[in-house]
Amino acid sequence: MVSYVSVLLYGVGGIVVAGMALLVAFQEKLVYVPVLPGLTKSYPITPARLRLVYEDVWLRSSDGIRLHSWFIKLFPECRGPTILFFQENAGNIAHRLEMVRIMLQRLQCNVFMLSYRGYGASDGYPSQHGIINDAQAALDHLSQRTDIDTDRIVVFGRSLGGAVGSVLTKNNPDKVAALILENTFTSILDMAGVLLPFLKWVIGGPGTKGPKILNFLVRSPWSTIDIIGQVKQPILFLSGLQDEMVPPSHMQMLYAKAAARNRQCIFVEFPTGMHMDTWLSGGDHYWRTIQQFFEKHVPKTGYDIGN
């Protein structure tokens, strides 16, 4: 009996040590993937390839990191809504250009695409604290422009971008008109158990079971579930029910947390939507949902030209 218990304890200890080693060594590589397998860090195309009107925008984050962005306008004088778009964790902004091209047409808007630090042409290495600073630099830039309607800036985040956008929107109630979240997770702590099931016993968010003894090792927890209830602006939740990466229940939990305090929340499900293609599989319903959200919460002003 003693030897059996000893073996069991050694086994549990080994799992804990292995989990700690994996977290310490590889967590950034799991959370942030600037380069897709078989590709390079550089942009495969630019907006010019899709004949989009754009400018290269170079920013400095508050800690001095040089950041690259594209500001893509529907047309030069467009003063419709401006979407500040935050991408998922993998690849770079060039991989989202086809979606943005359709977004411009369907929503009659401008789109600002930020390359997080360490992504695309931006310098540095990704981290939660650093990316929060990067997002703030992008919003501050937009807020100072004179060629857009700064009262109609909408933050749109998909997956990791939703975590980024939630923090930014909460921190800037006077600069952000509304927030859109698509297929976003409750926290990286919760996602650890989804991606690496053996970790769910030692890592997790507020709603999970287990001792959570390794939570302190997670350097980028991105706990959106703790942020979303503090967002005061209108929020649109877009959930793909076939999401193979983030369980749709995460979006339901985020909505429930937000709606408990914010009556301007809308939750819309897309039955065939997967993690990356909800915008495509959702078709006209997807874009019409966002249009209606804009009409209600980001209405046109007397300064609109051509909208």
Side-chain angles (χ1 to χ4, degrees):
M1 174 65 71
V2 174
S3 62
Y4 175 77
V5 172
S6 297
V7 170
L8 180 61
L9 290 175
Y10 278 123
V12 172
I15 291 175
V16 171
V17 171
M20 292 178 67
L22 282 172
L23 280 175
V24 172
F26 299 112
Q27 62 179 277
E28 267 80 21
K29 294 184 182 297
L30 294 173
V31 176
Y32 308 112
V33 189
V35 183
L36 293 170
L39 300 179
T40 65
K41 184 174 180 286
S42 61
Y43 303 126
I45 61 173
T46 70
R49 174 77 66 86
L50 301 181
R51 299 181 179 180
L52 298 175
V53 177
Y54 81 104
E55 63 180 277
D56 288 293
V57 178
W58 293 93
L59 306 171
R60 287 281 179 185
S61 195
S62 60
D63 56 357
I65 298 298
R66 189 169 183 254
L67 307 170
H68 178 253
S69 305
W70 285 327
F71 186 38
I72 306 174
K73 304 191 77 172
L74 179 62
F75 50 85
E77 298 81 20
C78 178
R79 297 182 69 88
T82 293
I83 292 176
L84 175 50
F85 179 77
F86 297 119
Q87 68 161 75
E88 308 88 331
N89 73 316
N92 60 52
I93 55 176
H95 300 127
R96 281 81 191 173
L97 279 174
E98 179 58 28
M99 181 275 299
V100 167
R101 182 183 68 82
I102 297 174
M103 179 182 283
L104 292 166
Q105 297 172 351
R106 295 300 302 264
L107 303 181
Q108 297 289 288
C109 64
N110 306 310
V111 180
F112 191 94
M113 305 179 75
L114 170 71
S115 278
Y116 307 136
R117 62 182 60 204
Y119 283 70
S122 293
D123 295 338
Y125 299 93
S127 68
Q128 177 170 330
H129 179 71
I131 290 176
I132 289 173
N133 288 341
D134 301 346
Q136 188 65 54
L139 178 60
D140 290 345
H141 169 81
L142 284 176
S143 299
Q144 295 168 9
R145 294 187 70 114
T146 59
D147 59 340
I148 65 171
D149 186 344
T150 55
D151 290 329
R152 303 179 74 193
I153 297 174
V154 178
V155 170
F156 189 142
R158 182 179 294 138
S159 192
L160 172 66
V164 179
S166 296
V167 175
L168 184 69
T169 302
K170 187 266 290 186
N171 290 342
N172 295 271
D174 297 328
K175 292 182 178 180
V176 177
L179 171 65
I180 301 175
L181 298 185
E182 182 177 323
N183 298 336
T184 296
F185 45 77
T186 52
S187 72
I188 290 295
L189 297 173
D190 290 329
M191 284 300 297
V194 173
L195 300 176
L196 300 171
F198 71 91
L199 289 178
K200 67 182 179 181
W201 303 108
V202 290
I203 295 177
T208 58
K209 299 178 180 179
K212 308 172 189 175
I213 59 176
L214 298 187
N215 277 11
F216 74 97
L217 290 175
V218 179
R219 292 187 287 267
S220 292
W222 287 114
S223 190
T224 311
I225 194 69
D226 293 327
I227 296 295
I228 199 67
Q230 302 175 57
V231 174
K232 299 178 181 179
Q233 299 95 315
I235 311 173
L236 173 61
F237 296 82
L238 304 172
S239 178
L241 297 185
Q242 302 304 314
D243 193 326
E244 74 285 8
M245 293 292 294
V246 177
S249 60
H250 283 224
M251 284 288 285
Q252 295 166 3
M253 287 187 282
L254 290 174
Y255 170 72
K257 185 67 175 288
R261 297 184 178 183
N262 186 343
R263 295 186 178 182
Q264 302 181 94
C265 296
I266 302 171
F267 186 87
V268 182
E269 297 178 332
F270 298 89
T272 62
M274 299 181 71
H275 190 62
M276 298 287 288
D277 79 344
T278 299
W279 67 273
L280 187 60
S281 63
D284 184 70
H285 177 45
Y286 177 91
W287 297 112
R288 186 57 189 158
T289 295
I290 301 176
Q291 286 175 336
Q292 292 172 345
F293 180 72
F294 280 2
E295 289 167 2
K296 182 175 182 179
H297 297 293
V298 196
K300 295 179 180 180
T301 69
Y303 297 101
D304 282 18
I305 299 176
N307 279 279

